[in-house]
Amino acid sequence: MFRLPSVSTREHTEVQVIAVGETGLDYARLEFCQRETQLKYFKQQIELALELDKPMFLHLRDAHSDFIDMMKALEKRPKGVVHSYDGPLDAAMQLIDLGFYIGLNGCSLRTAENLAVVAELPIERLMLEVEPVGRKIEMLLDGPT
């Protein structure tokens, strides 16, 4: 496994690691990184989070089946949040059943379908994400204004 020596051992006290991420799978951008490469390194990043006993900040775009299958296959799963979620309800519920939180931000609320999914999610498994200071926040049901 590729190692990050300064954070992969507990001997380095000068580094305070609080989470592993942002990492995950993004099949909407396969022109930048092929599926097989993403799967290989995502698995290694999961292993790192488990080794360090740290939660994960997770990215998931158009790769729900592979992401969920990978997590189901693990003997031990990391804790974490799947941020900026804009996928289908059934996948969100599977992620919640696997112990993950669902992170919501402006990208999660762009369409009426997104809003319908969010309305069905259990509030105790949601995390609200805020936009950076100075960035205009818009609800994009009809596109940017």
Side-chain angles (χ1 to χ4, degrees), residues 95-107:
L95 292 165
I96 289 168
D97 289 344
L98 290 169
F100 295 102
Y101 287 87
I102 303 295
L104 303 173
N105 60 19
C107 294

Side-chain angles (χ1 to χ4, degrees), residues 105-107 109-110 129-140 143-145:
N105 60 19
C107 294
L109 309 171
R110 286 187 280 195
E129 303 175 28
V130 296
E131 298 296 332
V133 174
R135 183 172 174 186
K136 186 177 179 184
I137 299 174
E138 299 175 3
M139 190 162 164
L140 300 175
T145 56

Side-chain angles (χ1 to χ4, degrees), residues 1-115:
M1 176 170 112
F2 172 75
R3 312 269 311 157
L4 299 173
S6 65
V7 297
S8 65
T9 66
R10 296 178 188 268
E11 298 171 11
H12 292 84
T13 57
E14 73 278 3
V15 176
Q16 180 66 33
V17 176
I18 60 169
V20 174
E22 175 179 350
T23 184
L25 300 175
D26 190 332
Y27 293 175
R29 298 186 177 111
L30 291 173
E31 68 272 18
F32 297 114
C33 187
Q34 294 299 311
R35 176 183 177 271
E36 295 75 23
T37 302
Q38 291 186 46
L39 289 167
K40 175 183 176 182
Y41 289 102
F42 184 40
K43 183 175 186 211
Q44 290 181 11
Q45 292 162 334
I46 292 169
E47 291 170 358
L48 178 63
L50 291 171
E51 178 182 332
L52 296 174
D53 193 27
K54 298 297 179 183
M56 297 188 78
F57 191 71
L58 297 160
H59 180 91
L60 173 56
R61 190 78 65 229
D62 296 342
H64 301 91
S65 292
D66 280 351
F67 188 102
I68 290 166
D69 289 347
M70 182 178 281
M71 291 301 178
K72 283 182 176 179
L74 295 171
E75 186 175 310
K76 180 180 178 187
R77 283 183 209 97
K79 295 177 181 175
V81 58
V82 179
H83 97 104
S84 190
Y85 188 80
D86 69 350
L89 178 61
D90 64 325
M93 296 308 290
Q94 288 180 69
L95 292 165
I96 289 168
D97 289 344
L98 290 169
F100 295 102
Y101 287 87
I102 303 295
L104 303 173
N105 60 19
C107 294
S108 306
L109 309 171
R110 286 187 280 195
T111 68
E113 183 177 297
N114 293 147
L115 292 172

